[in-house]
Amino acid sequence: MMTGRHLEVDGVLGINDVPDVRRFVATVHHRFVPDDDDLSRVAMATHELLENAVKFSVDGIATLRIELLANNRISITTRNRAHPENVEDLKQLAREIHEAVHPMLHYLDLMRRSPNRSMGGLGLGRVAAEGEMQIDLQLDGEFVQVRAETTLAEPR
């Protein structure tokens, strides 16, 4: 539901639901994100983050929240209960993304290394590189929250 300036989806989701949520997000946000490139970035980031949240969830429950912020910024956040064995890999990946001087070069490196990584990481790398978004990871007990934030183009 769209309440105020955010949209939130919460519940049991499967991998097959992710493309439907992506299309829904693109349709709803077309009114609020008029730039086609920005809308594509929002839809792509939604897909990648939600897919990770669903895929790596202990119980299949995931939350997606998209919020329009001040100063023409947007935030896409996912939250899920994580498998403990995946948390360390995720923390390492978040550190790498945060420290990367050139997100696109880091993403290309992740693609090269992907077969050797148990956690993958391509989705988060793609959001940082192609989506031009800052990634923030927060851990709250067994819950993982991943937030991607960026500035959108100025409205015309």
Side-chain angles (χ1 to χ4, degrees):
M1 80 179 96
M2 192 70 150
T3 57
R5 298 188 45 91
H6 78 268
L7 171 87
E8 191 165 309
V9 176
D10 180 51
V12 177
L13 296 167
I15 291 293
N16 293 336
D17 297 321
V18 174
D20 294 331
V21 173
R22 177 187 181 141
R23 283 188 292 276
F24 174 70
V25 165
T27 299
V28 169
H29 282 82
H30 187 60
R31 290 178 267 159
F32 306 102
V33 182
D35 182 83
D36 288 340
D37 289 336
D38 284 343
L39 189 59
S40 291
R41 291 189 305 138
V42 167
M44 178 274 297
T46 296
H47 185 108
E48 295 292 353
L49 295 178
L50 185 59
E51 182 175 77
N52 283 347
V54 170
K55 187 186 321 182
F56 295 110
S57 172
V58 170
D59 52 13
I61 297 173
T63 300
L64 167 72
R65 181 181 175 98
I66 303 172
E67 187 171 8
L68 300 169
L69 307 170
N71 298 322
N72 218 32
R73 293 194 56 83
I74 193 164
S75 168
I76 303 166
T77 305
T78 57
R79 182 175 169 90
N80 64 290
R81 282 183 54 218
H83 291 280
E85 63 271 11
N86 291 335
V87 172
E88 285 306 313
D89 286 340
L90 185 57
K91 288 189 328 191
Q92 175 61 30
L93 178 61
R95 274 192 297 278
E96 288 178 15
I97 290 171
H98 181 71
E99 294 170 358
V101 176
H102 300 287
M104 185 55 76
L105 292 178
H106 181 256
Y107 177 46
L108 293 173
D109 184 52
L110 284 173
M111 284 192 282
R112 183 183 54 76
R113 294 185 297 168
S114 183
N116 300 326
R117 293 182 64 95
S118 62
M119 191 66 181
L122 290 177
L124 290 181
R126 183 178 184 204
V127 171
E130 291 180 12
E132 300 174 349
M133 297 184 177
Q134 294 78 44
I135 304 293
D136 178 56
L137 172 70
Q138 293 183 0
L139 302 171
D140 180 15
E142 60 189 6
F143 288 93
V144 171
Q145 180 171 293
V146 178
R147 179 177 175 165
E149 191 172 310
T150 193
T151 302
L152 303 172
E154 291 293 322
R156 296 176 209 160

